[in-house]
Structure formats: structure tokens, C-alpha cells
Amino acid sequence: MAASMVSQAALRGLQLSSSKHLFLDKFKGSRLSSRRWLNLQEYQSKRLMEQSGVAVQRFYVADTASEALEAAKRLNAKEIVLKAQILAGGRGKGVFDSGLKGGVHLTKDPTVVGDLAKKMLGFNLSTKQTPKEGVKVKTVMVAEALDISRETYFAILMDRSCNGPVMVGSPQGGMDIEEVAASTPELIFKEVIDIFEGVREDQALRMASNLGFKGPLERQAADQIKKLYDLFLKVDATQVEVNPLGETPEGQVVCFDAKISFDDNAEFRQKAVFAMDDMSESDPTESEAAKWDLKYIGLDGNIACFVNGAGLAMATCDIIDLHGGKPANFLDLGGGVQERQVYEAFKLLTADPKVSSHFLFILLSFIPTEEQLPSPLPFACCSQRR
């Protein structure tokens, strides 16, 4: 029972990240933060890569069906791939409420791109990682489709246990990488990077070899790895993931699918990157909570939880569930909470129409009086002053 509540919170927290990133926790990757992670759309990540000299497909971005059709003609490619741009994974197997199946379509006829885009743009795409109602697609990426003779997986991430960045790769790419880690862990390769020295030549070549690149492609892949690390540092990323890092029949090493994650603490020096943040897919309450550095995840119950500490918050949800109640939310105020944050947290909870009672379980130096609360609250209070 307890595990089920924790799982609900974990799944909601991972909605904006593809499921193929989960295995990184097995390497003790530093994925926890007191603030919200910034995630970019695929085309935004590819644009950053392109600007850093990383090899990606030629592509255009379109907001209307006519723009998509024009982009397809401008590409003048043998084959075109049209991709709906949402943050959730599983697009290829998703379904639109327009009736169109699949958020990724391949075609050799550029004239059909406009019709496909009409059935994507403005419609909700439902995947295994979206809410039931799906996510509205506002942008599509029109890209040159390249043949892939072989797919590999490559990522760079911050690893707390190594006190810095780590390269992780596998010759088995193009699939859910956590499945590879579970079934064939010997095919997962790891290289610890000295943050002061950077990626050494021998490390890049060794990783390229472990990924299965041969001959001239080994050198080409090593160069791409070094450029990806340069990008990792340049944009203050917490993770740069390429799945697949592919090999074409023409002898090119190309980053076919990209995801870059950032720590919000880098916002002060990454203004241009954070200006790309699209909050339209985020839950409005979760977005408002993030403004006040509150960790909030909406659940389906009617008992609002107001707790200090992530572990205590999860335990509180589990206890309520264990005794027949249903938590309305996960809310962690954090250790350094201030009076204004407490006030804003109560505002968020009282604005939820499905909430009928509030459960306060908190260790605070400040406990609000009734006059300081935004409205009368029916709640159970388990609090203690430090």
C-alpha cells in the first residue's frame, strides 16, 4: 500500500522525462534538487547541439500545417520525419484525439506533411507518460530522415558518487535503456570524467570503441563525444542524453534523438536557455508552487498534505492511504522554508476545489496563526517548534 503511494508521486514527478532515463538512478546519478528541473523540447535540444558543432539531422520547426508543408519542401530530402513536440515520451505509440495514431510519422512524399500536421497541431496527444486527456501539440518538427545502420546509446550526467560528470554508453541503443541495464548490464559502459581535466582523448576513443564504432567512425564518434561534453559544460547541463547516437550507411555518426536537462540553479548565467522554457505543459498549480521553491505534486484525493521534508511527505501520504483516506497532493516545503512560502503553500492547498480537509505535519521555526492563514481551514495539526 505504501509503495503504491510513493510510486504515484514518483510517476507524476517523471511525467516530463522519458522513461528511458530512469536507469540513471541505478548509477546513483544526482537527480534530486530543491528546485524544478528545466526540460527542453527535442528541437530545442537539437538546436543547442547544432550550435555546438554536434552532428544532427537537418530540421525545421512549424506551428501551422502550411509552415510544415513549406518546411518539408525546403528540406528537399529523400525521406521526411514529422514529430509532434511534447515533453512526454512514447510519442511514436501515442494517439491524437483527432484520430491520428502516432506522434512520429515517416514519409517520402512532402505533400502529405501538411495533412499530417493538420491532424497533430491543436490536438491532444496521449502517450503512456501523459495525463489521460493527453497534451496539446502546438509545434511539430519537420526533419530529414536518415537511414540508420546501427544505433547506440550515449549520455553524460552529473553523478554524486563520483563528485562530477560521468559518461554512460551502450552499443544497444534506440530502445528503453533501463531494459538493457536490467537484462544485459555488461553492455553498459561508464567513464568517470575529471571535472578539471575534461574528457581525455583516450576516454573518448575508448567509449567510441565500447559503443561499437570501427575504423574511421571510431574517431568521428570520439569527436562527437567531446563536442557533447563541451555542450554539457557550456549550458550547465545536468544531463545530455542521445538515444540513438547512430551510424548511417554513408559513414556518418549522427545524434538522432536528444534530451538535455538543466538545474534551475544555473538560471542566473543561462538566461537564453531558460528563456526557452515552455510552461504550457506543466500543471498550473505545480508551476505556481515552483515559483516559491515548493515541491508540489497533485494527486487524486481530498486530504491536502502540508509537510516539511520529502521523506516525511511521502510517509504522510502513505499513512493517510493506509487508514482509508486519499491524499490530494504531495507538498514538501523544504528545510529552509520562510513565512511567505508557508503562506503561499496554504493558498495553493485552499484553492483546490476537491480538498475537504488539511493535514499539517511539520517541523517549523514559524507556525502561522489563524489570522495569517488565507482562509478558515479544517485540518489536523502535528507540528513542533525547533
Side-chain angles (χ1 to χ4, degrees):
M1 182 74 74
S4 66
M5 291 307 306
V6 175
S7 298
Q8 282 186 46
L11 286 171
R12 286 297 306 278
L14 288 163
Q15 266 186 2
L16 300 184
S17 300
S18 171
S19 63
K20 63 192 176 188
H21 313 305
L22 293 177
F23 93 104
L24 296 176
D25 287 336
K26 296 180 180 179
F27 293 109
K28 301 180 181 178
S30 176
R31 301 296 305 271
L32 298 177
S33 169
S34 61
R35 305 191 65 190
R36 182 182 56 83
W37 294 95
L38 166 70
N39 290 290
L40 300 184
Q41 300 283 5
E42 178 189 0
Y43 78 89
Q44 294 171 319
S45 295
K46 283 191 172 179
R47 191 166 284 163
L48 288 175
M49 288 183 168
E50 191 176 43
Q51 292 168 357
S52 294
V54 177
V56 298
Q57 301 150 280
R58 293 185 297 123
F59 70 92
Y60 295 102
V61 177
D63 300 322
T64 66
S66 59
E67 286 180 4
L69 177 60
E70 180 58 33
K73 292 177 178 177
R74 213 180 325 157
L75 277 174
N76 192 29
K78 291 180 180 179
E79 192 170 19
I80 296 163
V81 59
L82 179 68
K83 292 186 174 184
Q85 295 298 285
I86 64 171
L87 293 173
R91 290 173 297 173
K93 296 180 180 179
V95 179
F96 286 90
D97 55 8
S98 65
L100 181 67
K101 293 183 178 180
V104 179
H105 285 264
L106 284 165
T107 179
K108 293 183 179 180
D109 183 1
T111 61
V112 307
V113 170
D115 291 333
L116 287 170
K118 278 181 184 178
K119 297 175 183 177
M120 290 185 177
L121 291 164
F123 292 98
N124 284 16
L125 174 61
S126 298
T127 77
K128 61 183 180 181
Q129 291 187 21
T130 64
K132 288 182 180 179
E133 66 275 14
V135 174
K136 182 175 286 188
V137 175
K138 299 179 179 179
T139 305
V140 294
M141 185 176 76
V142 187
E144 177 184 24
L146 298 175
D147 291 329
I148 308 176
S149 56
R150 203 174 59 84
E151 297 180 327
T152 73
Y153 173 92
F154 178 75
I156 304 170
L157 64 144
M158 297 302 291
D159 188 325
R160 181 173 295 169
S161 66
C162 298
N163 295 317
V166 171
M167 293 190 290
V168 179
S170 174
Q172 297 293 315
M175 62 182 73
D176 289 342
I177 196 63
E178 74 273 11
E179 292 181 10
V180 178
S183 59
T184 52
E186 70 277 6
L187 294 180
I188 301 293
F189 298 93
K190 182 177 175 181
E191 287 279 347
V192 178
I193 303 169
D194 186 320
I195 191 68
F196 298 106
E197 189 177 8
V199 177
R200 301 191 310 271
E201 187 74 11
D202 64 300
Q203 285 184 304
L205 287 169
R206 185 163 54 247
M207 178 59 75
S209 176
N210 287 334
L211 295 180
F213 292 103
K214 308 292 184 184
L217 288 178
E218 183 178 317
R219 164 57 59 188
Q220 195 180 145
D223 289 341
Q224 290 297 304
I225 287 169
K226 292 171 77 173
K227 287 178 179 178
L228 285 166
Y229 180 70
D230 290 342
L231 171 66
F232 179 85
L233 292 182
K234 177 182 174 183
V235 300
D236 286 304
T238 56
Q239 176 180 302
V240 173
E241 182 184 57
V242 182
N243 190 17
L245 176 63
E247 178 182 322
T248 71
E250 294 77 24
Q252 291 179 292
V253 178
V254 179
C255 298
F256 283 94
D257 201 352
K259 182 173 181 61
I260 306 177
S261 299
F262 307 83
D263 185 346
D264 282 359
N265 292 313
E267 184 175 1
F268 74 98
R269 61 184 178 195
Q270 297 293 343
K271 300 292 186 184
V273 171
F274 279 79
M276 295 187 240
D277 192 10
D278 182 3
M279 300 293 291
S280 62
E281 292 184 32
S282 301
D283 179 273
T285 305
E286 293 178 15
S287 298
E288 182 64 24
K291 292 180 183 177
W292 300 99
D293 287 349
L294 302 171
K295 292 175 280 296
Y296 175 95
I297 299 171
L299 299 173
D300 298 328
N302 65 334
I303 302 175
C305 300
F306 186 101
V307 189
N308 187 23
L312 186 59
M314 288 190 286
T316 301
C317 289
D318 291 340
I319 291 169
I320 291 172
D321 189 74
L322 182 65
H323 289 277
K326 293 295 178 186
N329 65 276
F330 166 97
L331 175 62
D332 170 25
L333 277 76
V337 64
Q338 301 297 313
E339 179 177 345
R340 182 57 188 270
Q341 290 171 291
V342 174
Y343 177 78
E344 294 296 334
F346 271 113
K347 280 181 64 178
L348 290 173
L349 298 185
T350 55
D352 190 340
K354 70 178 184 294
V355 169
S356 60
S357 59
H358 299 74
F359 190 90
L360 178 68
F361 195 176
I362 196 162
L363 179 65
L364 284 176
S365 56
F366 163 78
I367 298 177
T369 64
E370 289 186 11
E371 293 75 20
Q372 291 171 311
L373 298 178
S375 64
L377 294 170
F379 65 81
C381 181
C382 300
S383 58
Q384 180 181 350
R385 291 183 185 274
R386 282 187 175 139

